[in-house]
Amino acid sequence: MKKTLTAVLVAASALVLTACTTTEKVAVEKPTDLKMSCEEIEGEFDKLDQVMEDASGDKGVNTANVAAVVFFWPAAVGNYMNASEAEKLVEKRRAHLMDLYMKKSCSAAE
């Protein structure tokens, strides 16, 4: 009985420790942005799409959020807020890159 209880506590602890999601935060502007080619900017847009997808997933129902709600609900709120902040940064970066993209006449080059 004691071994079973210990195993359950260890498993529950592992879930709690992994309950927080970590959505990547992007810098709105980078020192190298002005030197980027049109193709590199397009590649950045693809990366931003992936970060946005990850953030949306972190806000939804997933193992980490369910464990957070079950064991420590403030962690679920933190996950949601963290993902929302990441989404805002992605949108700001996307706007910055789109401005550069237009200034370089990248869309006209296609």
Side-chain angles (χ1 to χ4, degrees), residues 8-107:
V8 169
L9 289 175
V10 168
S13 297
L15 271 175
V16 169
L17 292 174
T18 61
C20 292
T21 60
T22 53
T23 305
E24 180 184 352
K25 302 286 190 322
V26 296
V28 175
E29 294 183 25
K30 296 180 182 177
T32 57
D33 286 349
L34 295 176
K35 297 177 185 175
M36 292 173 71
S37 68
C38 295
E39 292 79 23
E40 290 171 325
I41 293 173
E42 290 168 0
E44 276 292 305
F45 285 135
D46 292 339
K47 290 176 188 175
L48 292 175
D49 289 342
Q50 183 59 49
V51 172
M52 186 65 89
E53 188 177 312
D54 292 346
S56 294
D58 287 347
K59 287 172 70 173
V61 176
N62 58 39
T63 305
N65 286 341
V66 170
V69 168
V70 170
F71 294 106
F72 186 63
W73 68 266
V77 173
N79 289 346
Y80 186 88
M81 291 174 63
N82 187 34
S84 292
E85 180 184 348
E87 288 176 335
K88 289 176 187 173
L89 290 172
V90 165
E91 289 304 323
K92 288 179 181 180
R93 174 114 177 108
R94 190 183 314 272
H96 168 69
L97 291 175
M98 185 53 77
D99 185 48
L100 290 175
Y101 194 76
M102 299 307 264
K103 285 179 181 176
K104 290 179 179 255
S105 301
C106 292
S107 56

